[in-house]
Amino acid sequence: LGAVVYATAGRDEKRQHLRDLGVKYITSSRVGDEFEADMKKFLGKESLDVVLNSMSHDDYIRRSLRLLGKGGRFVEIGKRDVWTNEEVAKEFP
């Protein structure tokens, strides 16, 4: 598919597992500020086409939505604090 994967992990063992799978861009799944700073550094002036999200703590939903480009897709697979379509549209028209 030619997709570039950006992943999150908290523990070093999980980060190493992602590296072993060939993932180049790995950031924090625990600290929102670190996640956002790393993603901005990774992306430069680019944006994301798709976010596959399962994290709702530390404002990860809002942080991830801000990284999406025009026409980008946000796919929520989490079970807690899931935003409605109306909440997303209100925050990101």
Side-chain angles (χ1 to χ4, degrees):
L1 294 173
V4 176
V5 175
Y6 300 86
T8 61
R11 295 189 355 233
D12 288 336
E13 296 84 12
K14 289 184 179 182
R15 289 178 185 227
Q16 186 58 52
H17 178 68
L18 290 167
R19 282 188 208 94
D20 292 345
L21 292 172
V23 178
K24 182 176 178 183
Y25 303 103
I26 305 166
T27 186
S28 178
S29 64
R30 296 185 179 168
V31 181
D33 288 338
E34 182 180 337
F35 163 80
E36 193 166 12
D38 284 348
M39 288 302 298
K40 286 179 180 178
K41 181 178 68 175
F42 296 155
L43 291 168
K45 295 184 184 224
E46 299 295 318
S47 57
L48 298 174
D49 296 319
V50 178
V51 171
L52 181 61
N53 183 68
S54 65
M55 300 184 300
S56 59
H57 66 285
D58 205 6
D59 214 19
Y60 270 86
I61 294 173
R62 184 174 283 108
R63 293 173 193 274
S64 296
L65 285 167
R66 285 195 294 246
L67 298 169
L68 278 175
K70 184 174 179 149
R73 300 289 186 241
F74 185 86
V75 181
E76 179 61 70
I77 61 171
K79 296 179 181 180
R80 295 187 300 176
D81 300 323
V82 175
W83 286 22
T84 65
N85 290 338
E86 292 78 20
E87 289 173 301
V88 173
K90 180 181 175 191
E91 195 76 28
F92 299 93

